[in-house]
């Protein structure tokens, strides 16, 4: 069986290389339908390679879920334009080709290291590591206070379980007064929940009931205001642990289930859009859901830049600046550093829309890699991402894998600096603070030992 798996892995590697060559030919000789077919084929090739590279393919495999979202963010517009307009414009075609190239890059790097049974590693980890009761009690108090603050904020803007406040209005006007501190508080709520979810087996029944009731309340509070992103990492974290415990395998039905879940959340977005509209749109809900959703708009941050690149004779690439300096500058308040660069998402809006009020655009890592290094930039960046993700998943300490899985959507639709900023606060109570205390007390112990 091991020899057979090695043959499958080698076959997958050869196919990934052939895909890269095929995309090179499609760059020279464009063909919309063939590009879409190879794009879809690359997804299933990824499933094939990861399955034969994994000791046991579970439904919470980080590589699989990451691959699915990378695929969805890249192929949606290619299919929509081909079906509705009959062909892809040049910018959509090239942007789709750039996205397609990232998948074989990810597949190739996944072949370098053999993953471990991370579900077993997780169960071993929580059976050995004991949570500090005082720390858990402090987090319970803090969680209650933060959700209480969120409730007060929703009351102050008239959105406390009041969806009717959005009727015919502008959602951005309702939340225009939200501060960066409010954003951080939301991330810290997620961080506390991820801590309790990861160590749920060590919690008392009373604590589990309390945080569960509080979570239901928090989710309903956010949903009533049309917010989904605030609680999705919590849901994904719970899903990761549940799959580990139940040993649920990934299969084709599971893939269809993920697609149905994605369609459901996109439909929720359609309902929210109806609340803000004047109800004069003649599009039916299905068409609106397919042409205006989570996977349509982030793609434009790449296609618009590609179009600018195709039209310009001196397009200025950033040559890695946003990957190196922006993550550091993000943590510096603008009051301290007034010349701090604005986010890539805001820069994109100013560049292509000027001062007009438009929807916010999620600036994807693929777009960021392109504006830094050009057409092949995303390919090489996703070689690195694939290597890093494979290392995260095979680590005996599964905390990092768990947090990254919970933030997969944030990573897939956000620029790197913003993701690292969110990661810091999301991981604060489960990873950052415990590691700080660990090394702090380790240093004290070390110093005391040498003083004796």
């Amino acid at each position: 069986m091991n020899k057979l798996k090695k043959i499958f892995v080698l076959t997958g590697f050869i196919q990934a290389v052939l895909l890269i060559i095929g995309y090179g030919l499609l760059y020279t000789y464009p063909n919309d339908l063939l590009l879409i077919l190879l794009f879809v084929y690359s997804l299933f090739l990824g499933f094939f390679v990861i399955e034969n590279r994994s000791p046991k393919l579970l439904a919470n495999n980080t590589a699989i879920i990451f691959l699915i979202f990378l695929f969805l963010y890249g192929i949606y517009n290619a299919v929509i334009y081909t079906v509705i307009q009959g062909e892809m414009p040049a910018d959509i075609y090239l942007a789709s080709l750039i996205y397609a190239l990232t998948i074989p890059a990810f597949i190739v790097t996944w072949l370098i290291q053999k993953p471990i049974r991370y579900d077993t590693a997780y169960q071993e980890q929580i059976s050995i590591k004991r949570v500090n009761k005082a720390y858990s009690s402090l987090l319970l108090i803090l969680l209650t206070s933060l959700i209480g603050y969120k409730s007060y904020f929703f009351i102050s803007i008239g959105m406390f379980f009041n969806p009717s406040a959005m009727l015919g209005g502008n959602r951005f006007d309702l939340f225009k007064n939200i501060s960066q501190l409010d954003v951080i508080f939301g991330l810290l709520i997620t961080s506390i929940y991820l801590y309790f979810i990861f160590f749920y087996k060590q919690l008392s029944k009373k604590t589990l009931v309390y945080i569960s009731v509080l979570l239901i309340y928090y989710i309903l509070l956010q949903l009533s205001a049309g917010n989904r992103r605030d609680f999705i990492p919590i849901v994904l974290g719970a899903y990761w642990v549940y799959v580990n415990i139940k040993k649920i395998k990934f299969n084709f039905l599971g893939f269809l289930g993920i697609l149905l879940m994605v369609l459901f959340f996109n439909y929720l977005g359609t309902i929210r859009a109806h609340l803000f509209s004047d109800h004069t749109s003649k599009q039916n809900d299905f068409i609106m859901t397919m042409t205006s959703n989570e996977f349509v708009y982030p793609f434009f941050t790449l296609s618009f830049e590609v179009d600018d690149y195709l039209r310009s004779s001196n397009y200025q690439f950033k040559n890695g600046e946003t990957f190196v300096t922006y993550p550091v500058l993000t943590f510096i308040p603008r009051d301290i550093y007034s010349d701090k660069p604005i986010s890539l998402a805001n820069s994109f809006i100013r560049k292509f829309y000027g001062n007009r009020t438009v929807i916010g655009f999620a600036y994807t890592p693929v777009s960021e890699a392109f504006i830094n290094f050009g057409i092949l930039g995303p390919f090489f960046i996703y070689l690195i991402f694939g290597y890093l993700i494979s290392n995260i998943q095979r680590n005996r300490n599964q905390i990092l894998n768990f947090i990254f899985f919970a933030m997969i959507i944030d990573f897939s639709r956000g620029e790197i600096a913003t993701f690292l900023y969110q990661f810091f606060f999301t991981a604060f109570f489960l990873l950052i603070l415990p590691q700080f205390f660990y090394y702090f007390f380790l240093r004290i112990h070390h110093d005391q030992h040498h003083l004796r």
Side-chain angles (χ1 to χ4, degrees):
M1 183 60 71
N2 288 333
K3 288 184 178 179
L4 186 60
K5 278 205 168 189
K6 287 181 180 179
I7 293 173
F8 286 158
V9 168
L10 178 60
T11 303
F13 176 80
I14 293 172
Q15 291 180 73
V17 172
L18 290 176
L19 269 176
I20 295 170
I21 295 172
Y23 290 140
L25 293 173
L26 286 174
Y27 176 78
T28 307
Y29 307 101
N31 186 303
D32 294 1
L33 183 58
L34 186 56
L35 173 59
I36 292 174
L37 290 175
L38 288 182
F39 207 150
V40 173
Y41 178 77
S42 70
L43 174 68
F44 289 96
L45 175 61
F47 291 167
F48 173 80
V49 169
I50 295 171
E51 179 181 13
N52 286 284
R53 195 63 177 154
S54 303
K56 189 172 184 178
L57 188 63
L58 298 180
N60 64 349
N61 186 290
T62 301
I64 286 288
I65 304 302
F66 181 82
L67 184 63
I68 290 173
F69 280 103
L70 178 61
F71 171 79
L72 290 175
Y73 279 109
I75 200 169
Y76 232 98
N77 282 278
V79 173
I80 294 299
Y81 273 90
T82 302
V83 171
I84 295 179
Q85 298 187 8
E87 64 177 355
M88 288 184 255
D91 58 325
I92 299 295
Y93 180 86
L94 182 53
S96 300
L97 183 59
I98 291 171
Y99 251 104
L101 262 173
T102 63
I103 292 184
F106 183 76
I107 293 172
V108 167
T109 54
W110 191 252
L111 297 168
I112 296 175
Q113 297 191 68
K114 185 177 180 180
I116 64 169
R117 283 288 301 271
Y118 58 86
D119 57 316
T120 304
Y122 163 70
Q123 290 182 319
E124 290 175 353
Q125 183 177 0
I126 61 173
S127 65
I128 296 173
K129 186 176 177 61
R130 295 296 169 186
V131 299
N132 185 293
K133 290 185 178 180
Y135 184 67
S136 298
S137 299
L138 179 63
L139 290 186
L140 272 178
I141 296 171
L142 185 57
L143 177 65
T144 305
S145 302
L146 289 172
I147 291 181
Y149 172 82
K150 282 289 183 179
S151 300
Y152 170 76
F153 172 76
F154 279 94
I155 291 172
S156 68
I157 63 173
M159 286 296 299
F160 185 72
F161 292 103
N162 183 27
S164 61
M166 295 188 292
L167 291 173
N170 189 320
R171 186 168 180 270
F172 294 102
D173 288 338
L174 290 171
F175 289 94
K176 65 182 178 181
N177 292 325
I178 189 169
S179 67
Q180 192 60 32
L181 192 61
D182 291 307
V183 173
I184 292 174
F185 283 168
L187 295 174
L188 292 180
I189 289 173
T190 299
S191 181
I192 295 173
Y193 264 113
L194 290 182
Y195 171 86
F196 285 129
I197 290 169
F198 191 84
F199 292 111
Y200 89 99
K201 277 196 169 184
Q202 298 185 30
L203 303 179
S204 67
K205 289 185 178 180
K206 288 183 179 180
T207 301
L208 280 173
V209 170
Y210 179 74
I211 63 175
S212 297
V213 171
L214 207 57
L215 177 59
I216 293 171
Y217 167 80
Y218 181 66
I219 290 176
L220 292 177
L221 178 68
Q222 295 290 352
L223 278 177
S224 69
N227 297 333
R228 296 164 292 171
R229 290 185 60 194
D230 298 78
F231 61 84
I232 284 180
I234 302 173
V235 174
L236 287 176
Y239 171 79
W240 187 87
V241 170
Y242 179 78
V243 171
N244 273 353
I245 300 301
K246 298 296 183 181
K247 311 295 182 188
I248 301 172
K249 291 184 178 182
F250 179 83
N251 52 38
F252 186 69
L253 288 178
F255 172 60
L256 292 180
I258 292 173
L259 294 183
L260 288 175
M261 181 187 70
V262 165
L263 184 62
F264 171 72
F265 275 104
N266 283 340
Y267 183 66
L268 286 180
T270 299
I271 294 175
R272 187 176 69 183
H274 279 317
L275 293 176
F276 297 139
S277 69
D278 56 8
H279 303 285
T280 59
S281 175
K282 295 182 180 180
Q283 284 187 319
N284 63 46
D285 285 351
F286 177 76
I287 294 177
M288 187 173 180
T289 298
M290 296 305 293
T291 58
S292 178
N293 60 62
E294 165 71 22
F295 299 103
V296 170
Y297 296 109
F299 181 88
F300 292 145
T301 61
L302 176 60
S303 64
F304 280 31
E305 294 287 356
V306 166
D307 183 61
D308 189 28
Y309 165 77
L310 292 174
R311 294 173 183 271
S312 175
S313 58
N314 59 341
Y315 185 92
Q316 298 295 312
F317 293 106
K318 295 185 179 293
N319 300 315
E321 178 187 0
T322 70
F323 288 106
V324 177
T325 62
Y326 280 36
V328 177
L329 297 177
T330 303
F331 287 90
I332 303 176
R334 196 169 295 278
D335 293 338
I336 297 175
Y337 180 37
S338 58
D339 292 331
K340 172 183 172 179
I342 60 175
S343 69
L344 294 178
N346 287 332
S347 178
F348 170 83
I349 292 172
R350 290 188 185 183
K351 178 178 179 179
F352 293 102
Y353 291 94
N355 295 322
R356 286 184 291 162
T357 301
V358 297
I359 63 169
F361 283 84
Y363 208 94
T364 71
V366 179
S367 305
E368 185 172 358
F370 172 79
I371 67 168
N372 276 277
F373 306 114
I375 292 175
L376 292 179
F379 173 81
F380 290 106
I381 289 297
Y382 273 79
L383 282 172
I384 297 172
F385 287 165
Y387 180 77
L388 292 176
I389 291 172
S390 66
N391 274 278
I392 288 172
Q393 186 160 298
R394 72 187 303 271
N395 198 300
R396 301 304 302 182
N397 184 345
Q398 281 294 295
I399 288 178
L400 188 56
N401 185 33
F402 168 71
I403 296 172
F404 182 76
F405 184 89
M407 298 184 70
I408 277 182
I409 297 178
D410 293 307
F411 182 86
S412 300
R413 69 190 304 277
E415 55 205 80
I416 297 303
T418 302
F419 171 77
L420 292 176
Y421 181 85
Q422 292 174 331
F423 176 85
F424 176 83
F425 290 105
T426 302
F428 190 75
F429 293 113
L430 182 57
L431 180 64
I432 307 296
L433 197 58
Q435 286 296 311
F436 170 78
F437 282 125
Y438 174 77
Y439 287 111
F440 177 75
F441 287 114
L442 190 66
R443 182 57 187 265
I444 291 178
H445 177 75
H446 180 268
D447 292 341
Q448 289 176 343
H449 178 74
H450 280 274
L451 286 174
R452 290 173 183 175

